[in-house]
Structure formats: structure tokens, C-alpha cells
Amino acid sequence: MINQELINPKSIVVVGGSNKTSKPGGNCIRNILNGGYKGNIYVVNPKESEVQGLKSYNDIKDIPQTDLAIISIPAKTCLETITILAQEKGVKAFIMYTAGFGEETNEGGEMEKKIVEVINNAGASLIGPNCIGILNRYHHSLFTLPIPEMDPMGVDMVSSSGGTALFIMESSIRMGLRFNSVWSIGNAAQISVEDVLEYMDDNFNPETDSKIKLLYIESIKDPDKLLEHTSSLIHKGCRIAAIKSGTSESGSRAASSHTGAMANPDLAVEALFRKAGVVRCFSREELATVGAVFTLKELKGKNIAIVTHAGGPAVILTDALAKGGMEIPQLSGTSIADKLKKQLLPGSSVSNPIDIIGTGGPEHLAIAIDYCESKFTNIDGIAVIFGSPGLTRVYEAYEVLDQKMKSCSKPIFPVLPSVSTAWDETDFFVKKGHVNFSDEVGLADALIKVLKTPPPLPNNLELKRVSVPMIRRIIDNIPQSGYIAPQQVQELFKAAGIPIVEDLVSDNWEEICAFAEKAHYPIVAKVVGPVHKSDVGGVVVNIRSKEHLDFEFGRLMEIPGAEAVMIQPMLKGVELFAGAKYEEKFGHIVLCGLGGIFVEIFKDVASGLAPLATEEALSMIRSLKGYNVFKGARGQKGIDENQFAKIIVQLSALLRFATEIKELDINPLLATEQGIIAVDARVRIEK
Ligand code: ADP
Ligand code: MG
């Protein structure tokens, strides 16, 4: 529960406040004082009467009524102190730096619980324990350095880890990011990352609030809540990037389906972030770089002009942008380009990159940027690479860049690589309120990431096309947990509008034979019983005659576990994969990819969180490494991505009404000339 006493307290008491700034209780007082806090500050320290110029009380019982208490005393003494503060001193907000609670021992965990109970009973808020505190426009209650430059339109950062928050700030400050708030939530005994986002969302004021949020999350306690508030904030105009750490743990846990083996926590996070519209990052530098991109004007398309005075980095940037699907359109060969060339130094190039060469000065930089802004109409954004060879100072060039960034309508991305030779100039540029990308590839990767993250969709679900009564009847009629029979899979898919190949399941030779005649050879025969049929030699494709079928029928029926044989017409097409898995707390994660028996080896799958809209399914398909297969390659016809997307949407709708489904694999779906159709599916339910 976040309250005003935490955000903007009228008074703060630092319990364990110290003269020594080498101690958390000392450094936080210095930070609060330096931060220009306007309210009253009290200190409790049994050994001092004055701390950093402030009155120090020897006994907690003597302090006046106070809004916010910062707790920086040994863990064992916290409960008693907090009880007094909450019950007698009217304290309505606590920030606990103290560690040694649930993160360390079971006893610590018990103590933490008791503290939370006392605080909850008093209707107070709690940040921590085991955190570095919070920093906002009203008070700098962090015990660490650096304190970034504050700006109401700067970044809001929420971090599970105090140390990581610091290091993200280090990277960010170097890039020129300013901050509006920093929340280190520590053990999140009461307030979690989700709670902070909820608060920001519920109290969002588009006029006064910062719109950039950077998150470092160690555990997602409530995925639904995270999804709700991140997507809502993004709908309100915010831009959010996040690192979720600890997703590499193996997901296979004796999974019996392909989906089960592949749907690890990492894909669940990917699915959640995709749905929310959160840009997913993996490193601190990357998070800071994406944050820096967020501060600039929005890039509305993928056409970039590069203005440079050095060839190499411009080519590196071109490669990195092109690899991510962005365009660096050719600009030369037009009369406009010729005019530009005449105004630059001899030897300059006006293709793209526009190279004003090493001796090109501020005036050339200005002209090149002006052309990209208003004459080259096919350009959406401008990257400017400008360093210093150390011969002259580059203040003037950076002055030009500063002005152009303010006056141009297109976003300009400054790459100022001479962070040591031109440190003074770079610092001068950043102090004017700009960010700087010292590495062009870091910039390219961040731009691509931002551009490729789809915005969250409005909540209009596409659930109309499944037959809910039919789905329920089928599921309710299944007596027990486990893999459901092929016949039920057929019915379920029909009810959900997922095309599935016609088949016959039987242990009777006459029936099998008659179906094969009707379906026309060649046909496919499969053993029914074992879960992974190919692994036991239980799939025979391309059966062209009754004699061959007769032989295989006999053989398949003798495979251990065989109950019957399934016959299907033989189809031809590219193999696709779709699946779903129920993840605790997240709900159903839906996977799609290129299919076949190697799906688990290539692991080229994308994930989404059910229920999915068509747009989301399409964005999943387009994020596949093998996506080019859909466009047609090597003489093969393309695949109708819309139809595949529809199947994924239908599948996600099915899951919504059949929550008993815990694992589901459709592998493969064959993309035939007649359309995409499932030829193998398994569904495991838990009742
Ligand atoms: P399993 O996954 O249990 O091994 P499948 O039914 O997926 O069994 O069959 C294995 C492979 O056989 C498929 O990946 C596909 O290549 C091929 N196959 C299966 N059914 C058909 C069919 N009806 N038409 C064409 N190929 C098929
Ligand atoms: Mg299969």
C-alpha cells in the first residue's frame, strides 16, 4: 500500500542515523540534506545528541509524531522499534535498509512477517527490508551513491535489487539519463514491483508524470497485475522496458510434450512482456540504452539516415541496423543529393551514410542534418556520429547537434564516441539535457528492440468463433486426468475451429482397410497408445497399397502399449508447430513455430499469453527466426501467415474455456496447398 507519507512525507526520522557517511544511516542523511528535502528530519541515535547538524534523540520514545521512518538498525531490534513508531509515533511509512530477514534465514522470515503485520495493522506502507531506499522529487532517501540528476520528466526506475539499481544508474548517468524516481523494493515484504506500477497507473497524471519506466525484476509475484498496469501505463503514453532475471532454469521437468519441454519460465516472461508491450532487455547497458531511446522523439518508421565524419562506425551502424530489418535508404543520384554534395567538402559522400569526412565542420554537419530533416522525405530518423580526432575541440559541432535536436521534427540519435578525448565537449552536450550513445551497435540494437515490440492491444477478445457448450461437454465427459483419446482431440478441435485431418482409429483390419480405400492411397498409419509415436517406430508415411498397409497394421499393433491404429490421408506441406502449456500464476502460454520431429532441437518458437488476438499471433509468427519460410523460399510457396495466426487465436480461445488443459501440442500442422491442417495433436488435461 503506497501512501502520501511515503511519497511526500512532512517529516522523516532516521533511526540509526549517524555522523559517519560510510554507514547507511549516515549517508542517507547526507543524501536527504543534499536533496533539499523541505520537511523536518529527526535522528535517533543513543550515542549522539547531534548528527550532521540535526538534533539526535537518544530514545525513540522522545521523538515527535513523524510521517516516514527510515530504519537502519540491526535486524533483531527492528520489530520493537517499528512497533513503537507505528503505534505511538503515528508513522505511516517505513523504509527498511536493514538486511537479515527472509532473504537470509527462516527466523528472519518469521521476523519479517511480524513486522509486516505491525505495519499493516497501523495502515502504514513498507519499502524493503533489505533495500537501498527510494528517491523521488520530494526526498532522496537512498543510502547509496550515485544520486542521478533529477528531472520530473526523467526515468522512473523500480528494482528488485538495490545493487542492480545502482549499477543501472551508473550506466544511465553516463548515457545522460535523468531520473524522476528510483524505487528499490528489496524483499518486497509489503510493496512489490507490481504495487509500484499499480500506484503509478492509478495516479497517473499525463501533465506532470514521467512517461519512462525502467524495471529490474527478480520475481513476478502477480503476472496479471504486472500485465494490467504495464499495459495500462503504455496505453496512457508511457514507455516501459524491463529486465526479468532468473529465467534460465530448465523448464523440462519430466515434461511429456514438446511444449512442456520448451515452455520454460523464459518463454512465459517473453509472452507476458509481449502482451504488455514492455521492451524486454537482458543487460543493464541495454536497459539504459533503451531508456535513452525512450527520451528521444519517437521513431515512426524504419528508414534511417546516418550522418558521420568517420566511415567505419557508420558502416558498422548500417550493418547493425540492416541486420535488424531497418532500412538505410540510398540517397544519392537525385538532384537534391547533388545539391547537398556541392555544399560539403570535396571527398564527401551523399549516398547513405552521408559522410562529411574527418575535416568536415559544424556547418557541414548542420547542412547534412537539415537535408535529412526536410529535403529527403523518405527518412524517419537521423543518426549522427561525431567524435574527435583530438586536433580541435568539437564544442561547436555539439552546439549544432543540440540545436538540431531541439528544432528538428525527426528524431536524432547522437553517437558521440570520443568519450575520453572529447570528454569535456560530450559532458557539455549531455548537460544541455541530451543523451549520448557512445556505441553505435548498442544504439542499433536498442532501436530495433523498441521498434519490434508491439504495443499492447485493447482488451477486445476474439472468442466468438469457438463453441463453448461443445468444448465443455467434451471436457466434462472425460473421466480422468491424462492424455485424451484421438477421438476426443478430433471433437475438441472441431469445436474450437482448428482444422484437423480426418482419421480413423481402429483395431479392426476390415474397418482400416475400408477407410484407406475411401481416403485413397497414399495414406499414413500410426500406432495409438504410445505418446511419442515416431520414437517407437509407430508412424509409417506414404503407404501406397493394401499389402503394405496389411503388413504395417500387423507390425504397429505389436508395438508395446499399442491399443489401435490410426489411419490418415497423407498430406504434403511445410511442418508447423503450435502448442500451449499452463504455467502457474501466468495462465496458458501459447507457443508457435516451425514444426516437425526436430522442433525441440531447433527451438525456433515464439510465445504469447492466452487469450491472444490476431495481431499478437501475427507478431509471434513474425518474430520466428524461420519467418522467411512463410514468405516462400527456395522455390517453395509461402505459407498463409493469417491462417496460421487464426489457428493460434482459436487455440488460445479453446484454452480459455478448457482450463483443465495443462499441455497441448499440435505437431505438425501441415501447411498444404489447401490450407493449414493439424495431423498430430496431443492434449493433456488435469481434472
Ligand atoms: P509423433 O509426433 O508422435 O512422432 P506424428 O503423427 O507427428 O507422430 O508423425 C511424425 C511425422 O510424420 C510428422 O512430423 C510428419 O512429418 C509425418 N506425418 C504424420 N502424419 C502425416 C500425414 N497425415 N501426412 C503427412 N505426413 C505426416
Ligand atoms: Mg508429432
Side-chain angles (χ1 to χ4, degrees):
M1 179 207 88
I2 295 172
N3 53 18
Q4 270 309 303
E5 286 84 355
L6 182 67
I7 304 276
N8 185 10
K10 291 195 187 69
S11 50
I12 301 177
V13 57
V14 180
V15 184
S18 163
N19 276 310
K20 294 195 189 104
T21 52
S22 56
K23 290 187 163 180
N27 210 31
C28 79
I29 294 176
R30 184 178 64 179
N31 284 342
I32 295 170
L33 291 172
N34 287 349
Y37 173 63
K38 301 234 163 50
N40 296 321
I41 317 175
Y42 315 117
V43 175
V44 178
N45 183 329
K47 294 193 205 114
E48 308 277 359
S49 58
E50 197 185 292
V51 166
Q52 299 187 44
L54 302 167
K55 178 176 166 57
S56 169
Y57 296 84
N58 296 144
D59 190 338
I60 188 114
K61 299 225 168 180
D62 297 334
I63 66 162
Q65 295 284 304
T66 309
D67 277 358
L68 167 70
I70 294 173
I71 308 294
S72 186
I73 51 175
K76 282 197 192 70
T77 59
C78 285
L79 177 60
E80 194 193 335
T81 303
I82 286 171
T83 308
I84 296 170
L85 289 168
Q87 293 176 359
E88 296 170 31
K89 298 296 170 187
V91 173
K92 288 285 179 231
F94 291 85
I95 297 174
M96 290 181 72
Y97 297 156
T98 310
F101 292 97
E103 82 283 6
E104 263 182 40
T105 58
N106 285 341
E107 293 103 288
E110 286 307 311
M111 219 146 62
E112 190 177 297
K113 272 193 203 136
K114 284 187 191 140
I115 290 172
V116 174
E117 210 178 290
V118 170
I119 291 177
N120 284 346
N121 287 341
S125 60
L126 165 66
I127 292 280
N130 185 27
C131 71
I132 61 166
I134 64 177
L135 171 77
N136 66 24
R137 41 183 101 162
Y138 305 107
H139 62 111
H140 293 187
S141 297
L142 283 189
F143 75 77
T144 53
L145 295 174
I147 298 292
E149 198 184 312
M150 300 300 286
D151 179 341
M153 287 299 132
V155 169
D156 288 316
M157 176 167 68
V158 192
S159 174
S160 297
S161 144
T164 312
L166 289 182
F167 304 146
I168 293 171
M169 278 192 275
E170 294 278 2
S171 300
S172 307
I173 291 168
R174 213 198 55 242
M175 256 173 247
L177 283 179
R178 286 120 187 111
F179 283 74
N180 175 54
S181 73
V182 174
W183 301 71
S184 155
I185 53 126
N187 291 4
Q190 188 205 54
I191 295 170
S192 63
V193 175
E194 292 91 320
D195 293 327
V196 178
L197 289 164
E198 178 184 42
Y199 179 83
M200 289 175 175
D201 183 21
D202 292 349
N203 298 281
F204 187 72
N205 179 339
E207 304 294 313
T208 55
D209 284 7
S210 156
K211 294 185 183 59
I212 303 171
K213 325 272 173 212
L214 300 182
L215 316 175
Y216 170 73
I217 312 173
E218 281 178 359
S219 95
I220 300 177
K221 288 189 182 168
D222 190 342
D224 252 0
K225 191 163 167 177
L226 189 77
L227 174 63
E228 180 187 342
H229 297 296
T230 45
S231 57
S232 164
L233 281 163
I234 293 169
H235 279 307
K236 291 174 184 172
C238 292
R239 311 182 79 190
I240 306 180
I243 299 175
K244 164 71 180 80
S245 65
T247 56
S248 54
E249 134 208 359
S250 155
S252 54
R253 293 162 308 222
S256 50
S257 65
H258 300 292
T259 310
M262 290 187 298
N264 52 33
D266 190 64
L267 284 175
V269 171
E270 186 199 304
L272 180 70
F273 283 13
R274 181 195 300 279
K275 200 173 197 69
V278 171
V279 178
R280 187 173 186 195
C281 297
F282 294 89
S283 76
R284 293 179 282 105
E285 283 286 314
E286 192 178 41
L287 187 68
T289 313
V290 169
V293 167
F294 283 167
T295 66
L296 300 171
K297 286 171 190 132
E298 199 176 341
L299 185 63
K300 297 264 166 59
K302 41 183 186 173
N303 295 319
I304 305 287
I306 302 171
V307 179
T308 184
H309 72 162
V315 181
I316 295 176
L317 179 57
T318 305
D319 289 346
L321 289 170
K323 203 172 114 200
M326 300 191 66
E327 309 275 344
I328 299 83
Q330 173 83 338
L331 297 171
S332 56
T334 62
S335 59
I336 301 173
D338 292 345
K339 260 192 209 150
L340 171 60
K341 194 167 162 69
K342 283 201 190 102
Q343 299 180 63
L344 300 177
L345 292 179
S348 300
S349 153
V350 293
S351 48
N352 191 9
I354 298 171
D355 191 344
I356 63 170
I357 66 171
T359 43
E363 65 279 24
H364 304 111
L365 180 63
I367 293 165
I369 294 176
D370 286 343
Y371 267 72
C372 296
E373 162 74 2
S374 38
K375 302 243 159 74
F376 296 124
T377 49
N378 58 339
I379 291 300
D380 302 305
I382 309 156
V384 173
I385 304 174
F386 208 102
S388 164
L391 304 174
T392 55
R393 313 290 339 202
V394 288
Y395 284 107
E396 272 180 68
Y398 290 4
E399 191 85 56
V400 164
L401 197 52
D402 165 51
Q403 277 154 24
K404 295 297 173 198
M405 285 181 73
K406 286 175 185 148
S407 62
C408 289
S409 62
K410 293 175 184 173
I412 297 179
F413 305 100
V415 180
L416 313 182
S418 299
V419 285
S420 110
T421 306
W423 162 252
D424 291 339
E425 293 98 311
T426 309
D427 192 44
F428 153 88
F429 174 77
V430 166
K431 288 226 166 83
K432 284 176 180 289
H434 297 298
V435 292
N436 170 35
F437 305 94
S438 53
D439 176 50
E440 55 279 0
V441 174
L443 167 65
D445 291 346
L447 276 179
I448 290 159
K449 232 167 219 231
V450 172
L451 213 63
K452 284 201 170 163
T453 304
L457 294 168
N459 282 340
N460 54 346
L461 295 178
E462 302 171 55
L463 298 175
K464 306 169 279 290
R465 287 169 286 166
V466 301
S467 164
V468 181
M470 224 153 108
I471 292 173
R472 284 316 317 165
R473 203 172 54 239
I474 299 161
I475 297 284
D476 291 340
N477 281 337
I478 299 172
Q480 76 248 21
S481 302
Y483 279 97
I484 69 176
Q487 184 54 35
Q488 292 158 336
V489 174
Q490 277 274 350
E491 287 175 17
L492 207 53
F493 278 30
K494 283 196 178 125
I498 301 170
I500 181 163
V501 71
E502 231 192 299
D503 66 22
L504 172 86
V505 175
S506 173
D507 58 0
N508 178 300
W509 167 244
E510 270 70 44
E511 270 177 35
I512 293 273
C513 195
F515 182 86
E517 295 295 337
K518 213 172 78 205
H520 299 299
Y521 291 99
I523 52 137
V524 178
K526 305 178 185 183
V527 65
V528 175
V531 173
H532 292 293
K533 302 176 287 294
S534 294
D535 297 351
V536 293
V539 178
V540 192
V541 297
N542 211 12
I543 298 177
R544 294 182 169 272
S545 66
K546 189 173 167 184
E547 294 67 42
H548 188 184
L549 179 60
D550 188 10
F551 169 80
E552 295 295 356
F553 174 70
R555 191 184 64 79
L556 289 171
M557 285 304 288
E558 264 159 38
I559 290 175
E563 293 155 10
V565 167
M566 176 192 279
I567 306 287
Q568 298 173 342
M570 168 98 184
L571 306 179
K572 255 176 77 180
V574 178
E575 297 188 289
L576 303 174
F577 163 82
K581 175 156 190 285
Y582 185 81
E583 277 282 323
E584 208 47 57
K585 295 199 274 187
F586 281 79
H588 282 110
I589 312 295
V590 177
L591 268 53
C592 75
L594 294 176
I597 50 177
F598 296 126
V599 67
E600 276 179 55
I601 294 175
F602 295 129
K603 285 204 176 74
D604 184 13
V605 292
S607 62
L609 203 58
L612 290 165
T614 308
E615 270 310 307
E616 290 174 286
L618 280 170
S619 108
M620 286 164 66
I621 297 168
R622 288 172 189 158
S623 75
L624 293 170
K625 288 189 206 83
Y627 174 60
N628 279 346
V629 171
F630 285 82
K631 296 199 211 148
R634 314 233 55 179
Q636 295 248 4
K637 275 206 182 137
I639 300 166
D640 184 352
E641 58 178 333
N642 292 312
Q643 204 193 346
F644 191 31
K646 184 180 168 220
I647 292 172
I648 296 165
V649 172
Q650 298 294 106
L651 170 62
S652 89
L654 161 68
L655 298 166
R656 199 176 145 85
F657 298 110
T659 47
E660 294 90 341
I661 297 178
K662 299 301 172 203
E663 273 176 80
L664 182 153
D665 259 346
I666 318 178
N667 185 33
L669 289 136
L670 289 177
T672 71
E673 304 230 317
Q674 283 73 44
I676 302 176
I677 180 159
V679 300
D680 180 36
R682 42 183 152 263
V683 179
R684 189 174 67 77
I685 63 167
E686 266 171 36
K687 290 224 131 180

